[in-house]
C-alpha cells in the first residue's frame, strides 16, 4: 500500500526505515519485558492501521495535503510502534532464543528491513514490466488495489476481534486458542507487506 501512496522512492525507503526503527523499539521493549500490551487488541488494531493506509489510497487527491502523503514516515513510525507489539507476540509463539536476545532481535529487525526493501524492489520491477505489456489506467488499478488491501485488513481485524472476544468469554476453550493463534499470524504477517 505504501508503494502506491508514496511516489518518491527515497521517501518510500525512509518511510519503511521509520517503520522498522519504531517496531524495533516496541519489539525490544516487549521481548525484554519492559513493555506489555494484550495481544488480541494489538492484532485487531494492527489490521485497522493497514485499513487506514488503504483508505488513504482511496481518499487522497492530487495536491491535497494529508499527513500520510506529506510526512508518511510519521504515520509509519506511529504504526510501527504498534506493529512491534505484534511482532513480539509472533516471536513469543515461535520461541525467541533466550541465550542471546539482543542479537536475535537485531537479526530479526535487519531481516524485516531487508525483506521490505526486496519486496518493494521486486514489486516495482513487476509493475514496470506489467505496465509495459498491458495498459491499465493507473487510477482504477490503484483503487482496486486499495480495496483489496482494505478488505484483507478488515478480514484480519474481524478474526482478531473474534479471538479477543472468545478469549475474554472462554479463556480455556480449545477453539479460542486456535482462533487466537490464527489471529496472531494473520496480524503479524500483514505488516511485513508494504
Amino acid at each position: 500500500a505504501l508503494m502506491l501512496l508514496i511516489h518518491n522512492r527515497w521517501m518510500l525507503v525512509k518511510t519503511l526505515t521509520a517503520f522498522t526503527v519504531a517496531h524495533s523499539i516496541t519489539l525490544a521493549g516487549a521481548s525484554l519485558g519492559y513493555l506489555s500490551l494484550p495481544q488480541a487488541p494489538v492484532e485487531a488494531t494492527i489490521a485497522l492501521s493497514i485499513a487506514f493506509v488503504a483508505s488513504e489510497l482511496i481518499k487522497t487527491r492530487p495536491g491535497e495535503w494529508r499527513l500520510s502523503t506529506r510526512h508518511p514516515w510519521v504515520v509509519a513510525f506511529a504504526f510501527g510502534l504498534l506493529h512491534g507489539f505484534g511482532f513480539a507476540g509472533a516471536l513469543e509463539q515461535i520461541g525467541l532464543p533466550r541465550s542471546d536476545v539482543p542479537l536475535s532481535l537485531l537479526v530479526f529487525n535487519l531481516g524485516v528491513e531487508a525483506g521490505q526493501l526486496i519486496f518493494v524492489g521486486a514489486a516495482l520491477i513487476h509493475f514496470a514490466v506489467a505496465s509495459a505489456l498491458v495498459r491499465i489506467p493507473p487510477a482504477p488499478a490503484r483503487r482496486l488495489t486499495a480495496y483489496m488491501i482494505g478488505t484483507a485488513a478488515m478480514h484480519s481485524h474481524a478474526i482478531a476481534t473474534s479471538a479477543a472476544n472468545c478469549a475474554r468469554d472462554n479463556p480455556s476453550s480449545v477453539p479460542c486458542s486456535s482462533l487466537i493463534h490464527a489471529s496472531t499470524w494473520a496480524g503479524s504477517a500483514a505488516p511485513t507487506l508494504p
Side-chain angles (χ1 to χ4, degrees):
L2 288 175
M3 294 182 326
L4 298 172
L5 190 62
I6 303 167
H7 301 290
N8 179 302
R9 300 303 175 218
W10 180 240
M11 181 59 75
L12 179 60
V13 170
K14 291 192 312 189
T15 301
L16 293 173
T17 302
F19 175 82
T20 301
V21 168
H23 82 65
S24 299
I25 292 168
T26 51
L27 171 61
S31 296
L32 296 172
Y34 297 117
L35 302 171
S36 176
L37 285 177
Q39 196 62 32
V42 165
E43 297 300 337
T45 309
I46 286 171
L48 288 177
S49 73
I50 296 166
F52 169 80
V53 175
S55 73
E56 288 294 284
L57 280 171
I58 295 166
K59 292 178 186 176
T60 302
R61 304 287 177 249
E64 179 183 24
W65 191 95
R66 296 181 82 81
L67 182 63
S68 61
T69 54
R70 292 280 176 107
H71 304 290
W73 62 271
V74 172
V75 175
F77 188 87
F79 288 160
L81 291 172
L82 177 66
H83 287 237
F85 286 108
F87 285 136
L91 282 178
E92 183 179 323
Q93 281 190 344
I94 62 174
L96 184 64
R98 289 289 170 207
S99 60
D100 201 356
V101 173
L103 180 61
S104 298
L105 291 175
L106 175 66
V107 170
F108 177 81
N109 284 317
L110 290 175
V112 168
E113 180 73 1
Q116 289 178 136
L117 294 174
I118 289 168
F119 178 85
V120 167
L124 291 174
I125 290 169
H126 174 76
F127 291 149
V129 170
S131 65
L133 297 174
V134 180
R135 294 287 173 213
I136 299 173
R142 177 183 166 130
R143 193 170 197 77
L144 174 64
T145 303
Y147 277 109
M148 289 172 31
I149 292 167
T151 300
M154 291 312 294
H155 180 262
S156 292
H157 175 69
I159 291 171
T161 302
S162 296
N165 291 337
C166 189
R168 182 193 67 225
D169 298 339
N170 307 303
S172 61
S173 167
V174 172
C176 282
S177 62
S178 298
L179 191 57
I180 292 167
H181 180 73
S183 165
T184 301
W185 283 106
S188 62
T192 63
L193 303 175

